[in-house]
Amino acid sequence: MADSYQPTVGTDSSLGRDSMTLSQHVLQQLDSFGPEAQDLSAIMNRIAFAGKLVSRRLTRAGLVEDALGFTGRKNIQGESVKKMDVYANDVFISVFQQSGLICRLVSEEMDDIYPIPENCSTGRYTLLYDPIDGSSNVDINLNVGSIFSLRRQQGDDIDPTGADLLTPGRDQIAAGYILYGPSTVFVYSLGKGVHCFTLDPSLGEFILASENVQIPAHGSNYSVNEGNFWQWEDSYRDYIRYVHHHQGYSSRYSGALVGDFHRILMQGGVFLYPGTLKKPEGKLRLLYESAPLAFLAEQASGTASTGEQPILDVDPDQIHMRTPLIIGSVEDVDLVKSFVQERKLERPPVSSGMASG
Ligand code: FDP
């Protein structure tokens, strides 16, 4: 009898890697072909498709009409909206309409929750996302990203307030981002480690690049907008003075959180965006920026904090809530927190009986 055919996939590592697509990887992660695994695989695939569309638009942005610049409108955060923000936001809507997968969308670019009622009978999930993170980089051809967070639908489909979404980030079932850099990279976690895929333009597929990425316990990079130095509380100035006076630190700040976080995911270090005098709660949005990245950081043996508590424990009070963010290697985040705690101990305790004024 002839020997049964033995494929080289799995033995030849290059072929094995080339053939591991994102949707296959999700199914492998969940170790199931059940309905939920199929849904999650399809959702990741759709997000990846949105990423491919945005990536294509970005690579052609200087060549086509109306891709760059501002729309003239401000979003709910009071920030000027770019044409690319609108394009990417609409891409996410269009890939999930009529998909049967996602019942509601929450985006930085939309004041209110965007319901997709035709999906709600089958798609019991809400996708929260920042379609273009770091949009000030768009017009100068530097890296930007898209960040996403997935939650299981808890509440009433017709509740427009999304009260069920106002729970800590530990309730996320998946999170990730797409980084539009020299290559387009898709990073995700379903709560089973963090995995990176690179878009192979010749195949039009995201191909597995690295599995179970771990953030080193310490890294030399610190990433912060030092232009805000005099706007911070003393504790953050203490930390920056510390790194200035100690060898072995490198300042790296790209103006796009996704890019700066990706560096830290790969090489270690810390990204921080503290509160400022004008904005004590900082700039970054909890539900679709800080919480998904905190989910990834914890899955990769890193950590994320507001300075006071883990990001994943913060109870949101509204869908566009902001928080300070300190994220990255455990030792580096702990060092920043130690400066925060030290200054806190110096403050006199507030006595409830004290007269004000
Ligand atoms: P942007 O406003 O350009 O979208 O998400 C907010 C964000 O970028 C982050 O990506 C980035 O890290 C930060 O803001 C940059 O803010 P500053 O210009 O205040 O440093």
Side-chain angles (χ1 to χ4, degrees):
M1 211 171 75
D3 288 347
S4 62
Y5 181 72
Q6 296 293 321
T8 55
V9 176
T11 51
D12 173 335
S13 62
S14 69
L15 188 51
R17 241 171 68 147
D18 272 4
S19 61
M20 179 56 83
T21 64
L22 181 59
S23 36
Q24 276 177 308
H25 193 261
V26 173
L27 294 173
Q28 194 192 65
Q29 283 277 298
L30 297 172
D31 198 17
S32 159
F33 289 103
E36 168 141 298
Q38 296 287 352
D39 277 354
L40 291 174
S41 171
I43 289 169
M44 290 304 142
N45 218 17
R46 292 261 104 195
I47 296 171
F49 184 52
K52 290 176 205 171
L53 289 169
V54 174
S55 173
R56 185 181 66 177
R57 181 83 170 172
L58 286 166
T59 51
R60 294 168 49 79
L63 304 171
V64 297
E65 293 267 317
D66 267 348
L68 299 176
F70 292 96
T71 60
R73 198 174 65 74
K74 294 211 181 227
N75 66 15
I76 190 164
Q77 348 272 338
E79 295 158 347
S80 300
V81 175
K82 297 212 143 175
K83 291 175 186 167
M84 197 61 79
D85 292 321
V86 175
Y87 174 81
N89 192 53
D90 291 353
V91 161
F92 274 84
I93 295 174
S94 75
V95 300
F96 282 109
Q97 257 161 355
Q98 309 294 346
S99 66
L101 293 167
I102 296 286
C103 184
R104 293 177 304 182
L105 296 169
V106 173
S107 160
E108 181 190 339
E109 299 306 330
M110 298 187 285
D111 300 0
D112 302 317
I113 290 173
Y114 186 95
I116 317 183
E118 68 269 23
N119 290 345
C120 288
S121 56
T122 47
R124 308 301 303 159
Y125 302 95
T126 299
L127 185 77
L128 304 98
Y129 64 105
D130 179 358
I132 295 282
D133 169 70
S135 46
S136 69
N137 280 1
V138 165
D139 291 348
I140 49 166
N141 194 27
L142 291 182
N143 71 263
V144 292
S146 303
I147 309 177
F148 64 88
S149 158
L150 189 69
R151 287 174 176 247
R152 203 167 270 117
Q153 183 96 358
Q154 306 286 353
D156 190 339
D157 296 343
I158 52 170
D159 171 11
T161 66
D164 60 301
L165 296 170
L166 303 182
T167 65
R170 302 212 181 272
D171 288 345
Q172 295 171 104
I173 54 172
Y177 58 82
I178 304 151
L179 171 63
Y180 310 103
S183 56
T184 299
V185 173
F186 186 103
V187 177
Y188 88 107
S189 176
L190 293 166
K192 292 170 183 278
V194 176
H195 316 290
C196 298
F197 289 72
T198 303
L199 181 61
D200 181 334
S202 65
L203 297 171
E205 280 282 0
F206 282 101
I207 301 297
L208 183 62
S210 37
E211 249 178 329
N212 293 313
V213 179
Q214 296 285 298
I215 303 181
H218 164 68
S220 60
N221 301 299
Y222 72 98
S223 190
V224 64
N225 184 345
E226 289 195 52
N228 292 330
F229 189 84
W230 292 108
Q231 298 294 315
W232 299 327
E233 281 187 6
D234 290 334
S235 49
Y236 293 99
R237 287 203 284 274
D238 294 343
Y239 169 71
I240 293 300
R241 287 191 187 103
Y242 175 91
V243 296
H244 286 177
H245 287 100
H246 287 78
Q247 279 188 354
Y249 287 97
S250 292
S251 170
R252 293 284 185 272
Y253 190 73
S254 74
L257 170 63
V258 169
D260 290 325
F261 178 76
H262 192 68
R263 182 198 303 278
I264 286 162
L265 179 70
M266 296 296 158
Q267 301 176 342
V270 62
F271 174 97
L272 50 156
Y273 206 110
T276 59
L277 294 176
K278 274 195 218 142
K279 292 183 181 167
E281 68 289 358
K283 179 178 185 191
L284 303 174
R285 275 56 56 117
L286 177 64
L287 286 179
Y288 42 81
E289 290 184 311
S290 304
L293 297 188
F295 186 86
L296 294 172
E298 287 202 5
Q299 283 296 316
S301 304
T303 187
S305 169
T306 61
E308 300 286 341
Q309 66 179 138
I311 287 284
L312 293 181
D313 288 345
V314 177
D315 242 323
D317 55 20
Q318 50 122 333
I319 55 173
H320 295 292
M321 177 183 174
R322 299 172 196 258
T323 47
L325 176 66
I326 309 164
I327 190 166
S329 297
V330 167
E331 288 176 18
D332 298 292
V333 172
D334 283 352
L335 180 63
V336 180
K337 276 165 46 186
S338 71
F339 285 100
V340 174
Q341 290 311 316
E342 208 173 291
R343 285 284 182 174
K344 207 171 151 189
L345 290 176
E346 282 173 12
R347 271 180 238 141
V350 183
S351 147
S352 52
M354 225 159 68
S356 60

